[in-house]
């Protein structure tokens, strides 16, 4: 049985690791990205196609997790398409680092497409993906879902793909 933790418990664990143990948040992100990559690789082994992997990333640490997982898939040779919301100056500190690393790799790689979300039309880039990762909003989200997130999630839910939420599904009240 896999234990489930409340949002407060997860935050307490992160706080303990970062502030008491001195483990940088980026290390936590990297470890999470490697584990997510390995688990999804195993869980999707039976899918008929899993060549193109899509990501929709937000501007907080959940988006940073998404950028890190996208890098793992790209490094393994998958075709990766990442749509991100917000401008670069709005990204959290750890998210921005993972974004910058992925952006640098994307400039030298043909298997990574990195695209800023500006309208619903941009979702066409991940509409034909075999697996789509939701890394928009994480456990820190409060209140009801607002635009453009409502429209993004509604449209991604219509795509026939294996879907994975990093942290929690966007819109779920944690």
């Amino acid at each position: 049985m896999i234990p489930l933790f409340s949002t407060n418990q997860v935050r307490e664990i992160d706080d303990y690791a970062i502030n008491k143990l001195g483990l940088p948040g980026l290390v936590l992100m990297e470890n999470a990205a490697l584990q997510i990559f390995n688990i999804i690789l195993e869980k999707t082994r039976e899918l008929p196609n899993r060549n193109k992997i899509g990501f929709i990333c937000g501007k907080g640490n959940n988006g940073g997790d998404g950028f890190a997982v996208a890098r793992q898939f790209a490094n393994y040779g998958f075709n990766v398409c990442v749509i991100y919301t917000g401008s670069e100056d709005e990204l959290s500190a750890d998210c921005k680092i993972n974004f910058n690393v992925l952006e640098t790799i994307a400039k030298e790689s043909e298997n990574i497409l990195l695209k800023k979300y500006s309208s619903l039309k941009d979702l066409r880039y991940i509409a034909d993906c075999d697996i789509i990762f939701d890394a928009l909003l994480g456990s820190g989200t409060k209140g009801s879902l607002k635009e453009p997130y409502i429209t993004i999630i509604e449209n991604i839910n219509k795509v026939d793909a294996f879907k994975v939420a990093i942290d929690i599904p966007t819109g779920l009240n944690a």
Side-chain angles (χ1 to χ4, degrees):
M1 177 180 255
I2 298 173
L4 295 177
F5 299 98
S6 71
T7 301
N8 286 339
Q9 289 172 315
V10 170
R11 287 187 190 137
E12 287 172 7
I13 293 167
D14 282 349
D15 182 65
Y16 179 80
I18 293 168
N19 295 315
K20 300 281 191 223
L21 299 178
L23 199 61
L26 275 173
V27 172
L28 296 178
M29 276 186 182
E30 192 65 23
N31 288 340
L34 283 167
Q35 289 302 313
I36 292 166
F37 168 75
N38 287 322
I39 289 168
I40 297 307
L41 208 55
E42 176 66 30
K43 294 284 185 191
T44 61
R45 182 183 318 243
E46 302 299 320
L47 286 180
N49 294 309
R50 61 175 190 168
N51 301 320
K52 189 170 181 190
I53 315 295
F55 290 82
I56 182 79
C57 296
K59 49 194 173 185
N61 285 347
N62 193 243
D65 290 335
F67 294 128
V69 176
R71 181 173 31 84
Q72 295 299 325
F73 276 95
N75 288 343
Y76 201 75
F78 287 90
N79 292 315
V80 172
C81 178
V82 180
I83 308 296
Y84 64 95
T85 61
S87 61
E88 291 180 47
D89 61 328
E90 294 177 298
L91 302 178
S92 71
D94 288 346
C95 180
K96 187 172 181 93
I97 290 169
N98 276 318
F99 172 83
N100 288 337
V101 171
L102 186 64
E103 182 180 45
T104 300
I105 294 169
K107 290 175 184 173
E108 301 171 3
S109 175
E110 294 183 13
N111 68 325
I112 303 172
L113 172 66
L114 191 57
K115 173 84 172 110
K116 183 182 182 311
Y117 177 86
S118 57
S119 74
L120 191 56
K121 290 187 287 186
D122 294 326
L123 295 181
R124 72 182 184 270
Y125 294 105
I126 60 173
D128 64 343
C129 288
D130 305 306
I131 302 170
I132 298 176
F133 283 84
D134 168 7
L136 272 174
L137 302 173
S139 59
T141 305
K142 292 188 178 21
S144 59
L145 204 55
K146 296 174 178 52
E147 290 296 345
Y149 304 110
I150 294 170
T151 301
I152 290 170
I153 294 303
E154 284 176 351
N155 282 275
I156 287 175
N157 285 341
K158 294 176 186 174
V159 175
D160 183 25
F162 185 88
K163 297 180 188 84
V164 179
I166 296 177
D167 203 359
I168 62 169
T170 296
L172 182 69
N173 184 345

